[in-house]
Amino acid sequence: MTTQPLRIRKAAVLGAGVMGAQIAAHLTNAGVETVLFDLPAKEGPKNGIAVKAIKHLAKLKPAPLGEKSLAASIIPADYDEHLAQLKDCDLVIEAIAERMDWKLDLYKKVATHLPERAVIASNTSGLSINTLAEALPENLRHRFCGVHFFNPPRYMHLVELIPNKATDANVLNGLEGFLTTALGKGVVIARDTPNFIGNRIGVFSMLSTMVHTQAFGLGFDVVDALTGPAIGRPKSATYRTADVVGLDTMAHVIQTMAGTLPDDPWHKYFKAPEWLAALIEKGALGQKNGAGFYRKNGKTIEVLDLGKQDYAPSEQKASDEVAAILAIKDPAEKFGKLRASADPQAQFLWACFRDLFHYTAYHLADIAETARDVDFAIRWGYGWKLGPFETWQAAGWQQVAQWIDEDIKAGKAMSDAPLPAWVTDGRRGVHHAAGSFSPAKGEDLPRSTHPVYARQIFPDPILGEKAPEGETVWENDGVRLWTLGDDRIGILSFKTKMNTVNDHVLDGIQQAVRVAEEQLDAMVIWQTREPFSAGADLKGALGLLQEGKLAAFEAMVANFQATSMAIKYAQIPVVAAVRGLCLGGGCEFQMHSARTVAAMESYIGLVEAGVGLLPAGGGLKEIATRCSASPVGDAFDNVKRYFETVAMAKVAGSALEAKSFGLLRESDVVVFNSHELLYVAKQQARALAESGYRPPLPARHVKVAGEVGTATFKAQLVNMLEGYFISPHDMEIASRIADTLCGGQIERGSEVDEDWLLALERKHFVALAQMEKTQARIAHTMKTGKPLRN
């Protein structure tokens, strides 16, 4: 397939509600100049509604903006004064309320201002794209489609792309490429049917869960215990999710299904249960007003008890029998025991799965081209680990199909609609090495040949797909150095849990650098799964201290620093490919790389202060070196921006924020689609190698702020201590961080070298590590995963 790249210089979003404002925010994250429109305000500036929505973005959690200052780049507008701004836009996304009449009126209002080159899209979650297209002039319909983001738009991977009958294939392909690379999305092409794919299947799953909740007499919290992580779904499970979405919104979506799917064999269930309607009537709409299925009473989470018509403390627990069944790793055995069990909870779960599988198979041909599209839509849009077809196939396709058929014939299923003939044609599933099943074509179809997917060396796998293993160049117990093909770019991956750093990893990185220098052109540090690295192995470090092996502990710290320096001064470029958590030592490794390529959703930080320590893998040394080399400001002015970040153990909420923190360099690259991370990192490594890469010269003239700088920081810390903002131990840690960043007790403006700074790191790190309060912090963090303030 060949496709013309879609160049989006400027975009407009019509509608500054929750979704519209957040879509505008994410376009801005991606560097697209964006105009946010809404109705003219009745008082004050006419664009006041959009202005207010932009300000509100800073209050939302999780944060829609990758970096807060980006809000100033969004242009507020209204339909009375600013429609002329549409003429410069390459992409216009409508995101107003789900009212067909409102949308059609808006399209007629803006139509004459839309340039013929613009791609026009609706973010509708389920209204007819073909009907919407009819409101546009005929010369614009071929550039119109549905582009349905899931909430929150920055974080949810799924975008459904829905063409109308006139949509130009090149427009659709160009938009797919833009959404995938520029915005980092997983695109699924859906048919123009009500609620498309994700919400059609996802909302039905929630509806059937509600039906069976009532049938089996289970509590809402018990259902959430059964339908969350225990079956590979998000912690919010069913009823917590409904509370987050809003019970009124949930009821509206159900009502839309009822109105638009009159011939669906499950239609009689497309209504809000009586108890859901009663909650809405009382104004208990969920999280937005403090009460729904759950409410918070002080620190206690309470759940609605329908029998008592009141809230009671939530117990949220599966029965012992069902918990044991769900712990079974073999899916076939698990499903067999669920169906055979007399436990109401087990019967509930089997019924939910049965009706989900039945509904999804029955409607596959109507809503999607392949089973892959359905599974990805549910995984990416609802956060399930496996889609419905993957779950069914893993459990034994034919056996489960037989059980479903038996239940349909026995009148136990929600509908007596027969399973499609293809389900029972002897197949073992719908996903195979050759592709995924398409009922329209009657065969397995391979993945899309769109050029954008050539950038995904390891795409999100579907059940049955095997990723290439590559060829091992060298490995030990901590790391593996390997290559793909014959491109002479090595890939270094860790073998530890959470990719933490222990002695095997430290020794392994140093040896891998030596091997790469001899045999390869460049090396990329990339993990086969997130995170990049959760930092040092605290358990091993604490063990050495508790055993009194101080010399071994000091040697470990020195080895950590030697590893960072081996990365920095390697004779070949070492590129860090970061996604997910990149903390402590992991952050220090990327700081020493020739270049970092970071996925947008990278959470980078030097967090050692949180466990009573300071960064001692060369991180503080590297900060001091960068501050000295800066052409702007003096050593102290430059180090100020870092001090609070390190002393407060701040973690950047995105790769963009990591740049503002200075933990990523301006020359480092941010990639929005994490599946493209390795491709881009390898390209960067190859470009550096091809350009005659040489490592930096040793930093022997690092100008530091000295004892004057340290004293200034300490004065600030005293004020914080007296105001009870920090504890005495916090001050101890921060003072040592300040001393290291400022180069120790020497004159302001003195020049030192890297060894001097590394020695300061080691001295303060080892001193802090021997303190009782630091060891208590480390032990507490290892046990609870949370920091201790002492």
Side-chain angles (χ1 to χ4, degrees):
M1 178 192 292
T2 58
T3 185
Q4 188 72 26
L6 187 62
R7 309 294 186 193
I8 306 293
R9 292 176 176 83
K10 187 174 181 181
V13 178
L14 310 180
V18 174
M19 282 298 287
Q22 290 192 75
I23 292 169
H26 197 52
L27 286 164
T28 306
N29 288 335
V32 178
E33 184 182 18
T34 303
V35 187
L36 180 62
F37 281 86
D38 211 295
L39 296 167
K42 293 179 180 177
E43 297 178 2
K46 283 201 171 184
N47 63 357
I49 294 175
V51 169
K52 187 177 179 181
I54 293 166
K55 286 181 180 176
H56 186 62
L57 288 170
K59 300 176 183 177
L60 294 177
K61 291 184 179 181
L65 290 162
E67 210 275 313
K68 284 184 180 180
S69 66
L70 287 170
S73 298
I74 303 174
I75 303 166
D78 67 87
Y79 302 126
D80 275 6
E81 296 181 330
H82 303 109
L83 285 178
Q85 292 207 39
L86 291 173
K87 74 178 189 304
D88 298 325
C89 293
D90 306 300
L91 174 65
V92 178
I93 300 174
E94 169 270 306
I96 68 170
E98 290 292 274
R99 282 274 302 267
M100 180 67 79
D101 54 341
W102 291 359
K103 290 178 187 286
L104 295 177
D105 285 347
L106 179 60
Y107 289 11
K108 289 170 185 172
K109 187 181 187 75
V110 303
T112 57
H113 298 273
L114 297 171
E116 289 199 8
R117 72 174 188 282
V119 175
I120 307 146
S122 173
N123 182 56
T124 177
S125 59
L127 297 179
S128 170
I129 298 301
N130 280 294
T131 303
L132 290 170
E134 290 170 6
L136 291 169
E138 201 165 331
N139 66 321
L140 294 178
R141 291 176 193 172
H142 71 290
R143 300 185 69 79
F144 176 76
C145 62
V147 54
H148 178 215
F149 290 83
F150 274 61
N151 191 20
R154 171 184 159 187
Y155 299 93
M156 296 307 293
H157 192 54
L158 178 65
V159 169
E160 291 176 316
L161 205 49
I162 312 101
N164 76 78
K165 58 189 177 185
T167 305
D168 187 297
N170 287 327
V171 169
L172 203 69
N173 290 337
L175 191 53
E176 183 174 3
F178 170 77
L179 291 166
T180 302
T181 291
L183 299 189
K185 297 304 171 188
V187 174
V188 168
I189 308 293
R191 298 204 166 121
D192 188 19
T193 55
N195 285 8
F196 312 130
I197 300 173
N199 282 342
R200 180 73 175 273
I201 302 303
V203 172
F204 173 81
S205 178
M206 292 184 75
L207 264 176
S208 67
T209 301
M210 289 179 178
V211 168
H212 294 308
T213 298
Q214 197 162 3
F216 289 94
L218 301 181
F220 299 127
D221 54 346
V222 172
V223 170
D224 278 355
L226 296 171
T227 60
I231 58 171
R233 297 182 189 174
K235 289 181 182 178
S236 56
T238 301
Y239 292 105
R240 286 184 191 278
T241 297
D243 273 357
V244 171
V245 169
L247 305 194
D248 52 342
T249 303
M250 184 78 191
H252 174 74
V253 173
I254 295 168
Q255 188 177 2
T256 300
M257 289 180 74
T260 55
L261 295 165
D263 299 325
D264 193 300
W266 285 260
H267 183 268
K268 67 180 179 181
Y269 296 104
F270 296 168
K271 59 183 179 181
E274 289 180 11
W275 37 266
L276 177 57
L279 281 171
I280 295 169
E281 193 173 333
K282 288 179 184 175
L285 305 180
Q287 190 170 287
K288 62 178 128 183
N289 66 347
F293 293 109
Y294 294 90
R295 75 176 183 190
K296 199 168 184 180
N297 187 357
K299 292 187 177 181
T300 304
I301 301 294
E302 296 180 333
V303 64
L304 180 65
D305 185 321
L306 282 178
K308 297 178 182 177
Q309 286 292 300
D310 199 1
Y311 290 87
S314 172
E315 296 177 358
Q316 193 167 348
K317 187 182 176 188
S319 69
D320 291 343
E321 180 182 343
V322 170
I325 293 173
L326 293 178
I328 297 169
K329 290 187 177 179
D330 177 41
E333 183 185 353
K334 183 186 300 184
F335 270 79
K337 290 195 172 180
L338 278 177
R339 188 169 190 268
S341 172
D343 188 307
Q345 292 184 15
Q347 287 298 298
F348 161 81
L349 278 174
W350 162 250
C352 289
F353 278 116
R354 175 199 64 214
D355 292 315
L356 170 65
F357 296 160
H358 185 191
Y359 188 84
T360 308
Y362 185 88
H363 286 296
L364 173 59
D366 303 329
I367 64 175
E369 181 63 48
T370 70
R372 182 194 307 109
D373 298 324
V374 172
D375 281 344
F376 277 155
I378 292 298
R379 275 168 47 181
W380 296 343
Y382 279 78
W384 296 10
K385 287 187 178 177
L386 292 177
F389 287 125
E390 290 178 296
T391 306
W392 181 351
Q393 183 169 324
W397 185 271
Q398 284 303 327
Q399 178 61 80
V400 171
Q402 182 184 325
W403 289 336
I404 296 171
D405 191 50
E406 288 173 5
D407 280 11
I408 293 171
K409 289 172 180 173
K412 294 179 180 179
M414 288 171 66
S415 169
D416 60 4
L419 284 169
W422 59 263
V423 170
T424 53
D425 64 1
R427 67 178 52 252
R428 293 186 178 180
V430 290
H431 301 302
H432 306 97
S436 296
F437 182 67
S438 165
K441 300 283 196 311
E443 60 182 352
D444 292 338
L445 298 184
R447 282 177 177 260
S448 169
T449 57
H450 192 300
V452 75
Y453 299 115
R455 297 168 59 86
Q456 298 186 15
I457 299 173
F458 291 92
D460 199 353
I462 204 82
L463 189 74
E465 289 181 338
K466 286 190 176 180
E469 293 182 1
E471 184 175 334
T472 300
V473 178
W474 180 85
E475 66 181 322
N476 70 350
D477 290 341
V479 304
R480 176 184 178 232
L481 177 64
W482 52 289
T483 56
L484 279 170
D486 56 357
D487 61 2
R488 292 178 57 82
I489 306 292
I491 302 167
L492 186 71
S493 304
F494 300 176
K495 297 180 179 181
T496 49
K497 185 178 180 182
M498 295 286 284
N499 298 317
T500 52
V501 181
N502 60 18
D503 287 337
H504 296 299
V505 171
L506 294 173
D507 294 341
I509 293 173
Q510 293 177 53
Q511 180 60 25
V513 168
R514 289 190 285 269
V515 171
E517 287 174 334
E518 293 174 3
Q519 301 181 28
L520 301 168
D521 296 332
M523 187 172 82
V524 173
I525 304 176
W526 177 80
Q527 313 297 5
T528 56
R529 60 181 59 86
E530 292 185 22
F532 179 76
S533 176
D537 174 17
L538 291 176
K539 184 178 179 182
L542 186 61
L544 290 174
L545 289 169
Q546 290 174 338
E547 292 170 19
K549 296 179 179 178
L550 191 58
F553 181 77
E554 290 178 348
M556 184 197 73
V557 178
N559 199 29
F560 219 126
Q561 294 180 333
T563 305
S564 293
M565 297 297 273
I567 291 170
K568 182 173 182 176
Y569 292 110
Q571 293 299 301
I572 45 110
V574 178
V575 172
V578 173
R579 56 180 171 170
L581 293 176
C582 177
L583 305 177
C587 178
E588 290 173 297
F589 288 161
Q590 68 81 22
M591 290 177 73
H592 285 81
S593 64
R595 183 157 298 160
T596 295
V597 178
M600 168 68 172
E601 299 310 329
S602 297
Y603 308 106
I604 301 172
L606 294 169
V607 295
E608 287 84 353
V611 289
L613 296 166
L614 53 69
L620 297 183
K621 176 271 303 176
E622 197 62 19
I623 289 171
T625 303
R626 290 182 187 181
C627 290
S628 174
S630 173
V632 181
D634 66 13
F636 180 74
D637 289 335
N638 291 328
V639 89
K640 277 195 299 188
R641 68 184 286 221
Y642 289 99
F643 175 68
E644 184 180 339
T645 298
V646 180
M648 300 293 288
K650 288 185 177 180
V651 177
S654 72
L656 299 178
E657 190 169 53
K659 279 199 171 188
S660 73
F661 283 4
L663 299 175
L664 290 180
R665 298 154 290 198
E666 283 305 312
S667 59
D668 290 333
V669 178
V670 177
V671 173
F672 273 63
N673 195 317
S674 64
H675 296 296
E676 296 181 356
L677 181 67
L678 180 58
Y679 172 86
V680 176
K682 289 185 71 177
Q683 293 289 337
Q684 290 286 319
R686 183 176 289 108
L688 288 169
E690 292 287 344
S691 62
Y693 175 81
R694 294 290 304 160
L697 292 170
R700 296 195 176 94
H701 303 283
V702 182
K703 191 172 285 188
V704 294
E707 57 190 358
V708 174
T710 303
T712 305
F713 283 130
K714 282 187 175 180
Q716 296 172 5
L717 292 169
V718 167
N719 289 334
M720 294 178 73
L721 180 66
E722 289 177 352
Y724 300 101
F725 294 108
I726 60 174
S727 70
H729 195 53
D730 290 329
M731 181 165 177
E732 179 72 33
I733 300 158
S735 297
R736 291 176 182 270
I737 290 170
D739 188 67
T740 309
L741 287 172
C742 294
Q745 297 303 296
I746 56 178
E747 287 187 16
R748 180 172 185 160
S750 297
E751 292 185 352
V752 300
D753 61 14
E754 288 180 296
D755 287 340
W756 173 276
L757 293 166
L758 290 172
L760 274 174
E761 281 187 0
R762 289 195 303 274
K763 180 184 83 170
H764 288 309
F765 186 88
V766 171
L768 285 169
Q770 294 177 77
M771 295 179 184
E772 185 179 331
K773 287 189 175 181
T774 286
Q775 292 188 21
R777 286 191 179 193
I778 294 172
H780 184 269
T781 300
M782 285 170 53
K783 184 177 180 180
T784 67
K786 297 177 182 178
L788 171 68
R789 290 294 301 277
N790 59 357

